[in-house]
Amino acid sequence: SVIPSNELFELLIREHSRMLAAYLRAAGCQPGLIDDVWQETMIVAWRKLDEFDRSKSFGPWLRGIATRTM
């Protein structure tokens, strides 16, 4: 069975949420901006979810979005 996009996105976010926050800290994001950048990254990822290649890893794709969002 195929998982609907919104459910897939929720699962992926739960799986990668802590990793993304750690990545933002390690990448030098200002501590006061981490939550804002995290949230903006998720918004962009949701909007571009149809561009995500499901045969690839979600983490690097999400980190790429975060890098461009910082």
Side-chain angles (χ1 to χ4, degrees):
S1 73
V2 176
I3 300 173
S5 292
N6 61 330
E7 289 179 27
L8 172 64
F9 187 72
E10 184 178 343
L11 290 169
L12 289 169
I13 294 310
R14 285 183 186 177
E15 183 178 327
H16 294 278
S17 180
R18 288 184 183 169
M19 171 278 302
L20 182 61
Y23 171 76
L24 291 170
R25 282 190 296 277
C29 186
Q30 294 178 13
L33 297 179
I34 289 175
D35 288 343
D36 291 338
V37 174
W38 186 95
Q39 186 174 24
E40 183 64 25
T41 299
M42 296 307 171
I43 291 168
V44 172
W46 173 249
R47 288 179 182 155
K48 295 185 174 218
L49 189 60
D50 61 333
E51 297 174 22
F52 172 62
D53 181 350
R54 290 186 183 191
S55 70
K56 297 185 179 177
S57 179
F58 187 73
W61 183 71
L62 197 59
R63 288 190 299 273
I65 293 170
T67 299
R68 291 185 296 279
T69 301
M70 282 195 288

